[in-house]
Amino acid sequence: MTSVETIDFDAVFGEIVENLRKDQERRIKRPLVRLWDGNWNFIGEVHNEISAKFTLPENETGVGTIELPSRYYLSRWLTDHDGRSTANVHITVDKDGARWGGMLDDLSQRKDEDGQRIVKATFKSDYEHLKHILAYSNPFLPPEIQFPRLWILFGPAKWALKLTLFLNILRLEANLWTLPDDPMDPSQWLNLDQSTWSQVVAPDPIGGDSSQFAIVHSRFKYMHDVSKRIVADAQLTWEPRRYLEGDPDPWPGANLRPGTLVWDLVDNSGAFQETNLGGDLFSGLVRGFTGIGADGMTQGVNVIDDPTFPPEYSEPGYRGTNPRAPGIILRDGDRTGIKSNEFHWKPATDTEFVTGGHSMPGVNELISACVAGETIIHGPDGDERIDVLAARGGPFRVWALTPDGRRVAATASRAFLKGQAELFEYVLDDGRSIKTTNLHRFLSREGWKRAVEVEVGTAIATVDLTGPPDGEFDQRSREIDDDEYQNLPETRSLIFREVVEIRPLGTADYYDMTVPGLKNYAAQGVWNHNTVNMLGDLIAAALFVPPIGGMVDALLKPLYTDVFLAFMKWQDIPRAQRLGWSHYLETWCEGSDRAYTLSALIALRTGMWRTREQTTHSVTVADGVENLRIGQRGKGNAWLGTRIGTTVQDWGPPGKVYVDRITELVLWWDRKTTPHWDITVGHREPEDPVMKALEMLQEVMSIARDLGVA
């Protein structure tokens, strides 16, 4: 039988009281506030402030303000902006093992009603630097030469983001040509001298990173924008901290200049482990993870019946909290340290979700007319026969024409065999020719014209491939209307040639393709329309009309376009049962104009998430409440991103606990108030996991488009 160590309470009572007294003194002790010039030369300690407030939001720029008497010597130094050795001014605020650093953003002076002049200095926190560092497509090359077109890195989120930031700081501060296999492993650094760098990244080898996997990609985006969604998904927290003289080395062997900004990412997620989702004070916190049904839409919580307890909580003197099992629970009541809280609950609304507008890819195209199999398709990646492209499958790039006559790169979704039809060969006055059905469309001076309407002597648009292209078209921008191609003048990429001969060729295989947005492509040296007309016999049969050929097809096109599989609907039956017999019925889901696509699934999930049952909980508390101690480096058990539990008095079952993350810290004091921390605990519910997965898949497709392979 295991024995439990006991203590003589009377013997240690004095020690306990002394520790409590020291903790109280530490919490009310004023922060160490220091000013530095732009070269990180020490200017002085601030001791005569009227008031001060420094905010620290998670993964965002915080703002710090400090008010000083105008005749204070540091105020005079600040306001002598023309006489200072540097225009930039830095500030550091040290409290409870934590350090707030920032750069001067605004300086002002005001005169109050008593005639006192007050200088107010406003600083932006050091996180702001992430908004001033670009992540190059290739940080190893100058901006004039960027190959490949996109920076892309797949791996644990923490390692991948830190490596991306490191390489771009390296690009700015040093030489990139000699790098170790893992630049985040300090044991592989041989001659990497960072003693002159203004910013560095704390090393973190990939082998010790347990954060969730992510795809980090950028094409000249700011690091803040690169990391914003990833750190939110992975529940990572950026921690920039100034290294100052007397500080311990950020890592063994670091050789840094005082004032260097050291970047680190802290993982508070408990990824690949369970985490607390709530519970109560009587039966304990419930630990589990979110599970998604086989349909990809329905979700629930999988509860872990017998979770293990973090062993560090049994260690004497341990200060901290594990995201698996938060060790801090703040109890709301009439006499409590919770200064304010706000709790909202909303029932779910709609139970049926509809999206779409255009037929799913391939529906309209499968019954259209097009070109012969040997037709050569022109594109940025070279020329290829359309039957070869159809056999290969998948998207490919083509040259397309804009309404202002520019030749641009665009992406065709796919090419495919349509069947057999009577083909005709159209020969132009310069010798080039193309074989199509008589329902195919060419670009004439009057606009797009069916081949059956083209006669000998009609001028159609041809392609000049000798000059450079005019850029790339963003196919996500909009669908170009055919009427925009009327009365186009000749340009460098558009030359009109007359048809000199039309030859019937008999029945043969023919192919089609789709170029979303511009709806045209270059083939056989001619500009061609991609979504032409449906075969009359097929559409007539679909509408229960006797097959009478292409004339009916032309008449009925407005009736059949975007009729089949143009909309989709999903019903949430469990939600309907929970709401009861009488409830709101359906909602339109914005975000997708084409049914049965990835964007349509995201739109449906967005609609479900927007109309879901919602519980949000915002709490503001003071440092020192119950067992809560804000601080770092062994002087506190909670910091930005820490998961803690809170209760809400007179709401729901007695003792119910809501688990949230600390999303903002504010340190403030004035001449009448001792320094203290205000803590804001954010929303209880995470982002929809299914929608995150779909958005990540859509992001992969976006990456492929940026790389030119999709």
Side-chain angles (χ1 to χ4, degrees), residues 268 270 273-276 285 287 307-329 627-628 636-639 641-645 659-660:
N268 292 306
Q273 301 173 359
E274 71 273 12
T275 189
N276 283 120
L285 298 180
R287 224 180 293 178
T308 58
F309 204 70
E312 56 265 33
Y313 286 164
S314 302
E315 300 175 4
Y318 172 76
R319 281 200 168 187
T321 181
N322 192 305
R324 291 171 52 204
I328 302 171
I329 297 179
N627 62 338
L628 175 65
N637 58 2
W639 189 246
T642 301
R643 293 175 66 85
I644 65 175
V659 179
D660 309 272

Side-chain angles (χ1 to χ4, degrees), residues 93-410:
V93 182
D94 291 82
K95 180 78 168 76
D96 301 329
R99 175 172 294 155
W100 195 101
M103 193 185 308
L104 183 66
D105 180 62
D106 182 72
L107 190 65
S108 64
Q109 185 188 94
R110 76 175 190 274
K111 179 180 178 182
D112 63 18
E113 296 177 353
D114 298 328
Q116 182 182 20
R117 298 184 185 274
I118 300 173
V119 173
K120 180 179 179 181
T122 302
F123 299 83
K124 285 186 176 180
S125 70
D126 284 331
Y127 182 90
E128 178 71 12
H129 285 277
L130 277 192
K131 300 178 180 179
H132 297 268
I133 298 176
L134 289 171
Y136 276 31
S137 301
N138 187 337
F140 299 92
L141 295 175
E144 295 81 6
I145 305 172
Q146 287 290 291
F147 178 85
R149 300 171 53 189
L150 185 74
W151 168 261
I152 181 169
L153 186 64
F154 178 71
K158 182 177 175 181
W159 174 85
L161 282 172
K162 291 180 71 172
L163 178 56
T164 301
L165 177 59
F166 170 83
L167 290 177
N168 283 280
I169 291 178
L170 183 64
R171 167 181 60 80
L172 294 164
E173 301 274 6
N175 187 349
L176 301 95
W177 297 111
T178 55
L179 285 178
D181 293 336
D182 184 0
M184 289 289 95
D185 186 353
S187 65
Q188 300 184 31
W189 293 356
L190 297 177
N191 299 315
L192 192 61
D193 182 13
Q194 302 186 55
S195 61
T196 60
W197 295 19
S198 63
Q199 300 184 49
V200 298
V201 179
D204 212 346
I206 190 173
D209 191 349
S210 61
S211 61
Q212 73 177 35
F213 275 64
I215 302 174
V216 179
H217 65 96
S218 173
R219 193 176 185 204
F220 286 81
K221 294 193 296 185
Y222 292 115
M223 274 302 306
H224 166 74
D225 299 319
V226 171
S227 68
K228 184 176 181 179
R229 187 192 62 80
I230 297 173
V231 294
D233 290 348
Q235 295 185 24
L236 303 175
T237 305
W238 282 110
E239 285 192 2
R241 184 183 177 97
R242 291 287 176 180
Y243 169 75
L244 300 177
E245 189 173 353
D247 290 349
D249 287 342
W251 64 89
N255 181 22
L256 305 180
R257 172 179 170 174
T260 301
L261 183 59
V262 181
W263 288 98
D264 201 1
L265 261 180
V266 177
D267 185 0
N268 292 306
S269 64
F272 302 108
Q273 301 173 359
E274 71 273 12
T275 189
N276 283 120
L277 303 172
D280 59 64
L281 297 175
F282 308 107
S283 59
L285 298 180
V286 177
R287 224 180 293 178
F289 56 91
T290 302
I292 308 302
D295 57 14
M297 292 285 187
T298 307
Q299 68 183 60
V301 174
N302 298 318
V303 176
I304 300 173
D305 295 325
D306 189 19
T308 58
F309 204 70
E312 56 265 33
Y313 286 164
S314 302
E315 300 175 4
Y318 172 76
R319 281 200 168 187
T321 181
N322 192 305
R324 291 171 52 204
I328 302 171
I329 297 179
L330 307 178
R331 296 168 175 83
D332 185 18
D334 295 330
R335 296 184 179 182
T336 175
I338 295 180
K339 301 174 64 176
S340 64
N341 63 5
E342 188 171 355
F343 199 88
H344 292 271
W345 178 83
K346 292 175 60 177
T349 55
D350 303 288
T351 61
E352 300 178 25
F353 310 91
V354 183
T355 191
H358 297 288
S359 297
M360 66 177 291
V363 171
N364 293 334
E365 295 83 355
L366 280 174
I367 40 181
S368 64
C370 208
V371 298
E374 67 264 34
T375 301
I376 300 297
I377 306 299
H378 309 297
D381 304 317
D383 298 340
E384 188 63 274
R385 287 169 56 115
I386 192 171
D387 53 2
V388 174
L389 294 170
R392 185 180 301 161
F396 54 93
R397 296 203 298 165
V398 298
W399 293 123
L401 183 69
T402 65
D404 55 358
R406 295 182 299 116
R407 173 167 61 93
V408 295

